[in-house]
Amino acid sequence: MSAYEQPPLDFGAVCQRWRNRRHSWRPTGEGGFDPTRYRVREMPNDLVHTAKAFVLAHHYSGSWPAVRFAYGLIDTAAPPAGQLVGVLTLGIPTQVAVLTSVFGWLTPYEESLELNRLVLLDDVPANAETWAQARAFRLAAARGVRGVVAHSDPEPRTRLTAHGPETIFPGHYGTIYQAKGMDYLGKTRPRRLTMLPDGSVLHSGVRAGSRRTIDDHKAASQQVDHLIRSPQPLM
């Protein structure tokens, strides 16, 4: 079987987990999740860098989006005084229409946000996602958030290694969002992404006329420069 082929998988019977940007599965029927062992907390400004480092290290995208609120899943039984084992972020989408097309009566970026990152480590038992998500949403509601839009990415992501292509993300269909009670609204319009050898997305810059074009071009250059300075064997 090639690195691009995936065996048939019942996405309703497994939970996706991550470590070092590599995915793994935990069966939903395994049990073992003890909610008394975990807590969800908002990451204050002085701890946002911790959430960012966690996402960069473990999320398949290897990137940090525009975030307004970050929430950490804490394993209170892990020494010395609790360990960060998951992060959920709510933030700003690439276009305001992502929010206003769904929640036209809410103030975008304040009352409505995008769920733009959710990543749990592989040692977190199954069924923790919806539990953590519910508590993060409750904390967000206390901040005035009334609507959340989430997207799933069904397209696999691969990266090149010394042994050939490696699948780092087989795709997902938003099962946990619907399990939480979110409504499925259909598919967005397709878009083209430029993938770098490490599986991350090349920042393409924004539409002509935006004041961010120069900054985004600089960010893209820095992203490519980082890869050039840290070459990975391809064959």
Side-chain angles (χ1 to χ4, degrees):
M1 179 176 294
S2 73
Y4 290 104
E5 294 175 336
Q6 293 291 316
L9 188 64
D10 180 359
F11 285 100
V14 292
C15 296
Q16 200 166 33
R17 293 290 182 268
W18 299 93
R19 187 175 295 273
N20 298 325
R21 296 180 60 199
R22 289 180 170 87
H23 77 96
S24 60
W25 306 104
R26 301 198 69 135
T28 56
E30 72 174 0
F33 177 68
D34 179 6
T36 63
R37 173 172 172 162
Y38 297 88
R39 67 186 179 97
V40 174
R41 62 166 298 185
E42 183 177 331
M43 308 291 280
N45 290 336
D46 60 334
L47 287 179
V48 167
H49 69 281
T50 301
K52 179 178 179 179
F54 184 95
V55 169
L56 292 177
H58 301 297
H59 193 268
Y60 72 90
S61 69
S63 64
W64 179 252
V67 172
R68 280 213 62 202
F69 302 114
Y71 303 95
L73 177 65
I74 311 298
D75 182 354
T76 62
Q83 179 181 354
L84 182 66
V85 295
V87 168
L88 182 151
T89 65
L90 302 177
I92 311 301
T94 55
Q95 300 181 39
V96 68
V98 171
L99 303 175
T100 56
S101 63
V102 179
F103 301 111
W105 62 96
L106 299 179
T107 303
Y109 310 148
E110 295 181 12
E111 296 178 308
S112 60
L113 293 169
E114 179 185 40
L115 195 166
N116 46 18
R117 290 294 182 270
L118 175 56
V119 53
L120 304 184
L121 290 184
D122 52 12
D123 52 4
V124 179
N127 306 314
E129 294 92 338
T130 48
W131 183 89
Q133 188 175 306
R135 278 144 188 83
F137 283 6
R138 192 176 301 163
L139 292 170
R143 290 280 201 161
V145 178
R146 296 294 179 263
V148 173
V149 175
H151 296 88
S152 60
D153 185 356
E155 293 298 321
R157 301 278 180 91
T158 61
R159 62 182 167 194
L160 298 181
T161 72
H163 307 289
E166 174 192 17
T167 299
I168 58 174
F169 175 61
H172 76 97
Y173 295 86
T175 302
I176 63 167
Y177 304 146
Q178 296 182 63
K180 174 62 180 65
M182 300 177 77
D183 294 326
Y184 174 72
L185 302 179
K187 295 182 178 181
T188 59
R189 287 180 294 182
R191 61 193 179 107
R192 185 182 299 275
L193 299 177
T194 300
M195 307 302 300
L196 296 171
D198 71 340
S200 60
V201 177
L202 176 66
H203 299 299
S204 60
V206 294
R207 290 178 175 83
S210 169
R211 291 174 297 176
R212 291 181 50 199
T213 302
I214 296 176
D215 291 337
D216 282 7
H217 175 73
K218 180 180 178 181
S221 299
Q222 291 173 338
Q223 188 180 9
V224 174
D225 181 64
H226 171 73
L227 288 171
I228 294 174
R229 292 174 183 271
S230 305
Q232 298 184 14
L234 302 183
M235 295 299 295

